[in-house]
Amino acid sequence: MSSARDDDAALAEAHERLLSGRIVGKAVRESIQSSWQRCNSMGLTADRLHATYTADVDIAGKLTHVARPVLDQLETRLAGVPATIFLTDERARLLQRRAGEPSLNRRLESLQLAPGFGIPEELVGTNGIGTALVTTGPAFVCGREHFADAWSGLACAGAPVRDPFSGQVLGVLDLTCLHLDADPTMADIVAAAARSIEERLLDGVSARERALLETYQNACGVGVAQSGSPIELLDPRDRRILQERATELISSGRTGFTEVPLRDGRAAVLLSRPIGHSSGVSGFSVEAAFPGEGVYPLLSQAPYTGSPDTDPGVPCFPTPGPAVVSAPRSPTPAVPAERWLLAVGEPGIGQLALHARQRLGLIADAGFRIGTTLDVSRTAEELTGVVVPRFADFAAVDLPDSVLLGEEPIRVDGPLRRAAIRGAHEGAHLYSVDDVITFHPSMPQAQALATGEPVREPRLSEAPGWIAHDPVRGSKILGAGVHSLIAVPMLARGTVLGVVSFYRSKASGSFEEDDLVLAEELVGRAAVCIDNARRFTREQTMALMLQRSMLPSGMPAQHAVEVAHRYLPAKTGVRGDWFDVIPLSGARVALVVGDIVGHGMHAAATMGRLRTAVHNFSALDLATDEILTQLDDLVIRFDLDDQRAGKADGGIAGASCLYAVYDPSTRRCTLGRAGHLPPAVVLPDGTVEFPHMPVAPPLGVGGLPFETVDVELPEGSLVVLYTDGLIDHLGQCDVDRGLAHLLHVLAETARTPEEVCEALGALLPADPSDDIAVLVARTRAFDTSQFASWDLPSDPAVVSRVRADVNAQLAEWDIEDLGFTTELVVSELVTNAIRYGAEPIQLRLLQDSTLICEVADGSSIAPRMRRAHTTDENGRGLFLVAQLAQRWGTRYTTSGKVIWAEQPLPGRSVQ
């Protein structure tokens, strides 16, 4: 071991070989190799391991109380030694941390080694505590023997602490120091301290049990299950099955044996026999033996003897006295000589304990297995799965449609729908899932719904009212052996949600009075889960409706791009993804996608607010970077408002947006992003790339400017905008892989936006874990015949010449009918630019779905429309433009501003 600890380089090389799938070699101890292989098979990586915190750890529980004096002595003994003592529970959750010097403790805190944190092997890899629990024996891990890189500077020695009566591991005592301070005696020290804790645990065992245990150990010399025994080397589930079977044997009060199959194909033989004490205490012990290690002599000394009340499944041991001459019912098996104690106890107490444990076990399983999802039907199925066959042979859950749809249950005395049913066998003739049932008032289910109290029918054959609704089916149910019924109303927060029916067959006997309490407990737990699922379904439905109402219902009319889109909402928890196509002045168009991190109503509402804000800022013709800046400020205000209002779900950390503006007259696309992935561009020749865009933080961070990039796009190029849900799915949560997959799909896809959406849609799941929004635009470009421009001097005399040129252009376009109004608009805008603006001055006419007139100048001073008085000689220009044009406005550029006005074309409808 010491050579392995000293040769860190060899260990590091062996670790790399393991991670790359090669043979590790002999440089690593076998126990460490086994742990590494377990960690590797669970998908752990050496650089991504961390402890998890659990708030409900019982830090001051029984184990801590019993261990306190031992820990005090050990801490005194280690005074001045740079080592830390840990005590954990059976799940590797830290209960106590003692001693240690400051630098070591700071190192441990950086690894989250503090009370409440759990460090099982499956989370943090090979370590003294987690590995000791997995192997149920001492574990010494030093330096690079740790699976995690962050732990390689430590040395850990852990020893399990067992219940001295049952052998069950209750926790681990561990001693940890720096790698360079490691000492081989650490393992001996911690093992001795663990035994001291076990001795103190034995003091808590009852006097009767101590007497039985003392008699057993002194009389037969059978070992209690310890480290290295066959029992401790078993799978934990096999050990639990053996313990349960041992309790059943003790509660039966019979001498005998039984064979228990194990998961690895072997079998264990459990031997039950009476023991007694001089004080008069009597009971039974159960030993575990494993075939293949010699023969247990007692079983070969006498023939089988038994009695009529003996359990046929548990044959008897020979008893003192004359042999009974009778042929055995089955041959006596050979049992190994080496045996290990599983349990001792008294039959009467054992029967009550077994019955109580079975019920508690059922309730505990219900707590773990019911309500794992926020789905009403699935929760109903989980309830039936828990109770069949452990409590009932058949179980059915009936709910009104309103509950299944997430609505408030207005009434449950009408038709109910069968949400789930499970049976121990087929052919009981009970209603199936999705069947609609109306319970007759005389039926137990109807009585339970009406009174809110459970109803028990011990013998259905003597209760004719339960088949009044459907006598034919009822007769078939009785004929199939269904014998007893409990109907329990499903109540949650004072509301009746439905009814649960439990059935037993004749072989299982009738339901007893105390079964009502257990049935109510099980249904009560399920009812809360179903109500939570119902409320979640309602909130999900409302949020989805809100989200859909705030998404575009159709694409607006524009001629700059051809668009197609797909939107796939998440299966659970409505998110805040959105997309938009916004027509802008000058025949331009804005393409937008965004994502609000979070889910539910808050995310959907915030998405609607941001989408509205984008439309408003776009209507102001703000530049791309300015729009992102305004959105950033808006999200910050949203967060502040939520904090002031004390909203628990407030805070929009990570709202992202990609904003692109395409101008078909110049074929240039201006791109800006805030915490969003860049768009993909597919050129007409098939080239696919992601434009290089400056990185910017998400909306709501504040303090940093947003930058834009201009990209020239040939006509027919595809611009693909998307949210991160698409990349997460394509790359299985690996961004680089997802982006590469997207490029591959786009390179192989035909050139229309709809075909791209179909190709991507074929790769997407029906119920994604996150919203997926895709917007695909194919660019168009203006023909040179669709626009005309004039560079103008700053001279009022040019206005008359411009009017003539405009009339000539309108005649060429065959829209002379617009000549009069266009002359007035051009005259006013050009005169305004010459008088109040600055050079350079340019006039441009564009023929799109409307006639667009634009006058650009080098001044950024905003024009102001006002109502002139009758005595004013000017001030009527913009007012006149507003009256003549369909729309008009101002947008700012890097070199000045543009004043524009639109007029509808003759014979074309106004969009």
Side-chain angles (χ1 to χ4, degrees):
M1 182 188 303
S2 59
S3 61
R5 289 200 307 269
D6 294 337
D7 194 359
D8 282 346
L11 285 169
E13 182 182 354
H15 191 261
E16 290 299 325
R17 286 199 297 269
L18 172 79
L19 296 180
S20 61
R22 293 177 291 166
I23 298 176
V24 174
K26 299 182 179 180
V28 185
R29 289 183 289 145
E30 183 177 349
S31 60
I32 298 299
Q33 282 196 44
S34 299
S35 175
W36 283 4
Q37 290 168 354
R38 288 193 299 270
C39 298
N40 193 41
S41 66
M42 290 184 291
L44 300 184
T45 57
D47 59 344
R48 296 184 180 179
L49 307 180
H50 59 86
T52 57
Y53 182 76
T54 306
D56 60 351
V57 175
D58 189 7
I59 294 177
K62 176 182 177 181
L63 182 59
T64 304
H65 175 73
V66 172
R68 183 174 293 113
V70 178
L71 298 181
D72 290 342
Q73 294 176 5
L74 187 58
E75 186 174 8
T76 301
R77 179 180 176 184
L78 296 176
V81 177
T84 297
I85 307 163
F86 290 107
L87 179 68
T88 78
D89 63 9
E90 76 284 358
R91 294 169 58 185
R93 298 179 300 187
L94 300 179
L95 304 177
Q96 289 274 296
R97 190 179 83 180
R98 297 286 198 94
E101 52 93 24
S103 63
L104 174 61
N105 287 341
R106 284 194 296 270
R107 175 73 175 271
L108 298 176
E109 288 168 1
S110 69
L111 297 174
Q112 298 179 317
L113 296 184
F117 284 92
I119 52 172
E121 190 180 73
E122 62 266 24
L123 286 183
V124 300
T126 309
N127 69 90
I129 293 171
T131 304
L133 285 174
V134 172
T135 61
T136 65
F140 183 77
V141 185
C142 188
R144 185 62 265 184
E145 290 181 333
H146 289 90
F147 188 82
D149 295 336
W151 289 60
S152 60
L154 301 176
C156 310
V161 178
R162 290 181 174 81
D163 184 331
F165 190 70
S166 67
Q168 177 185 359
V169 175
L170 303 178
V172 172
L173 184 65
D174 175 88
L175 200 57
T176 294
C177 66
L178 294 176
H179 175 198
L180 298 178
D181 297 329
D183 190 314
T185 61
M186 291 170 57
D188 298 331
I189 294 173
V190 77
R195 301 293 81 79
S196 298
I197 296 175
E198 291 173 355
E199 291 175 3
R200 289 183 54 79
L201 285 168
L202 191 60
D203 295 338
V205 178
S206 68
R208 298 171 67 84
E209 291 174 328
R210 286 175 61 86
L212 290 176
L213 182 61
E214 178 184 349
T215 298
Y216 183 87
Q217 291 175 327
N218 292 338
C220 34
V222 177
V224 177
Q226 295 177 355
S227 174
S229 74
I231 295 175
E232 290 300 309
L233 297 178
L234 292 176
D235 182 274
R237 285 167 288 189
D238 282 338
R239 293 202 303 271
R240 184 170 64 250
I241 291 173
L242 292 183
Q243 290 286 349
E244 292 175 353
R245 194 70 182 102
T247 306
E248 293 172 4
L249 290 173
I250 292 173
S251 65
S252 69
R254 303 187 183 104
T255 300
F257 68 90
T258 187
E259 190 175 58
V260 180
L262 303 177
R263 295 171 57 85
D264 59 4
R266 296 184 300 148
V269 178
L270 303 188
L271 305 97
S272 172
R273 64 177 180 174
I275 56 175
H277 192 261
S278 57
S279 63
V281 176
S282 61
F284 280 78
S285 68
V286 176
E287 309 162 11
F290 297 86
E293 301 179 9
V295 178
Y296 182 29
L298 287 179
L299 290 179
S300 59
Q301 291 176 356
Y304 167 83
T305 61
S307 59
D309 63 342
T310 301
D311 183 353
V314 187
C316 292
F317 277 132
T319 56
V324 178
V325 182
S326 61
R329 287 173 290 182
S330 60
T332 304
V335 181
E338 186 174 7
R339 298 145 4 240
W340 300 87
L341 175 63
L342 271 179
V344 294
E346 296 178 77
I349 298 175
Q351 290 175 3
L352 295 175
L354 178 64
H355 190 57
R357 192 182 68 179
Q358 289 173 340
R359 289 175 174 266
L360 289 174
L362 184 59
I363 293 174
D365 279 357
F368 283 112
R369 294 172 54 188
I370 299 175
T372 60
T373 66
L374 288 171
D375 181 87
V376 174
S377 298
R378 178 60 184 160
T379 304
E381 292 170 0
E382 290 169 344
L383 170 61
T384 60
V386 167
V387 300
V388 175
R390 297 168 64 182
F391 178 70
D393 295 312
F394 302 91
V397 180
D398 302 310
L399 304 170
D401 285 337
S402 58
V403 172
L404 293 169
L405 296 175
E407 302 169 0
E408 291 288 345
I410 300 174
R411 51 181 296 177
V412 291
D413 55 350
L416 302 183
R417 188 176 298 275
R418 180 135 294 177
I421 183 169
R422 184 180 293 263
H425 57 79
E426 299 291 335
H429 301 287
L430 297 169
Y431 287 99
S432 302
V433 172
D434 284 336
D435 285 351
V436 177
I437 310 167
T438 301
F439 293 110
H440 190 274
S442 64
M443 299 181 70
Q445 290 89 342
Q447 297 173 24
L449 290 171
T451 63
E453 298 291 335
V455 177
R456 179 175 67 97
E457 292 290 356
R459 295 173 181 82
L460 289 174
S461 59
E462 301 174 6
W466 80 278
I467 62 173
H469 171 65
D470 193 342
V472 175
R473 182 184 292 271
S475 299
K476 291 180 179 180
I477 293 173
L478 288 177
V482 177
H483 173 64
S484 186
L485 165 69
I486 288 181
V488 183
M490 186 168 280
L491 300 170
R493 300 179 179 90
T495 302
V496 179
L497 303 177
V499 64
V500 182
S501 304
F502 301 104
Y503 299 90
R504 280 183 182 172
S505 60
K506 290 182 180 179
S508 301
S510 300
F511 284 110
E512 302 297 335
E513 192 68 32
D514 60 344
D515 288 324
L516 285 174
V517 178
L518 180 57
E520 282 190 283
E521 175 70 20
L522 294 170
V523 174
R525 289 172 178 260
V528 172
C529 295
I530 283 182
D531 191 50
N532 288 338
R534 177 192 65 80
R535 292 155 67 93
F536 174 79
T537 301
R538 181 183 62 181
E539 179 179 336
Q540 176 84 352
T541 302
M542 294 176 62
L544 189 58
M545 292 175 60
L546 176 63
Q547 181 190 46
R548 287 176 176 171
S549 69
M550 293 182 175
L551 287 171
S553 57
M555 292 293 98
Q558 50 80 34
H559 297 272
V561 291
E562 174 191 353
V563 296
H565 59 87
R566 290 292 186 275
Y567 189 87
L568 196 60
K571 179 180 180 181
T572 58
V574 173
R575 268 64 173 179
D577 293 18
W578 91 92
F579 64 93
D580 235 323
V581 177
I582 306 173
L584 301 176
S585 63
R588 300 170 304 135
V589 66
L591 307 173
V592 192
V593 291
D595 183 7
I596 305 297
V597 175
H599 58 85
M601 296 287 287
H602 183 72
T606 303
M607 178 268 287
R609 297 167 75 184
L610 278 184
R611 180 170 176 254
T612 301
V614 170
H615 273 266
N616 292 336
F617 295 145
S618 299
L620 296 175
D621 266 327
L622 299 180
T624 298
D625 55 342
E626 181 62 23
I627 286 180
L628 293 176
T629 301
Q630 295 293 336
L631 292 176
D632 185 46
D633 292 340
L634 188 63
V635 172
I636 292 174
R637 290 200 297 273
F638 287 168
D639 285 344
L640 292 175
D641 291 344
D642 288 342
Q643 293 173 17
R644 294 191 189 101
K647 293 183 180 179
D649 59 348
I652 315 169
S656 67
C657 181
L658 173 64
Y659 192 92
V661 176
Y662 175 69
D663 188 341
S665 65
T666 62
R667 293 184 288 105
R668 299 194 68 82
C669 185
T670 302
L671 302 167
R673 63 170 172 165
H676 207 90
L677 294 170
V681 174
V682 185
L683 299 178
D685 63 1
T687 303
V688 186
E689 60 184 12
F690 293 108
H692 176 71
M693 295 182 62
V695 177
L699 300 175
V701 175
L704 295 175
F706 295 97
E707 299 180 56
T708 61
V709 61
D710 286 345
V711 180
E712 185 170 343
L713 300 176
E715 184 175 11
S717 299
L718 290 175
V719 182
V720 183
L721 292 78
Y722 49 86
T723 55
D724 58 1
L726 173 68
I727 301 304
D728 287 344
H729 175 72
L730 295 180
Q732 298 179 351
C733 297
D734 186 313
V735 175
D736 292 336
R737 182 189 301 175
L739 293 174
H741 194 177
L742 177 61
L743 287 180
H744 175 74
V745 172
L746 295 177
E748 298 295 326
T749 304
R751 299 277 70 83
T752 70
E754 187 61 33
E755 288 171 339
V756 172
C757 287
E758 289 181 0
L760 292 174
L763 302 175
L764 301 179
D767 298 310
S769 58
D770 192 7
D771 284 2
I772 296 176
V774 179
L775 179 62
V776 184
R778 182 164 64 176
T779 62
R780 298 182 176 127
F782 279 166
D783 187 83
T784 55
S785 63
Q786 289 183 266
F787 63 90
S789 63
W790 297 267
D791 294 324
L792 306 176
S794 183
D795 182 2
V798 79
V799 176
S800 60
R801 178 173 59 83
V802 167
R803 286 199 297 265
D805 291 342
V806 167
N807 277 326
Q809 186 62 56
L810 296 181
E812 183 178 338
W813 286 341
D814 197 22
I815 52 175
E816 298 95 333
D817 293 348
L818 295 180
F820 178 72
T821 56
T822 305
E823 281 189 36
L824 288 177
V825 170
V826 168
S827 296
E828 294 301 333
L829 295 184
V830 171
T831 301
N832 189 75
I834 293 173
R835 181 174 296 179
Y836 302 108
E839 292 184 328
I841 300 172
Q842 185 185 63
L843 166 66
R844 188 170 71 155
L845 295 180
L846 295 93
Q847 184 189 22
D848 189 30
S849 58
T850 60
L851 178 63
I852 305 170
C853 174
E854 296 182 342
V855 176
D857 69 80
S859 170
S860 58
I861 299 176
R864 181 171 64 89
M865 183 178 69
R866 64 188 182 88
R867 186 181 297 273
H869 297 288
T870 56
T871 57
D872 291 342
E873 296 183 0
N874 52 27
R876 298 175 178 82
L878 290 180
F879 180 80
L880 182 61
V881 170
Q883 300 303 309
L884 296 175
Q886 175 181 294
R887 295 194 309 151
W888 79 280
T890 304
R891 68 174 182 269
Y892 295 91
T893 65
T894 55
S895 59
K897 67 177 180 296
V898 175
I899 304 178
W900 55 271
E902 292 183 4
Q903 302 175 71
L905 293 176
R908 300 188 186 182
S909 60
V910 178
Q911 300 291 340

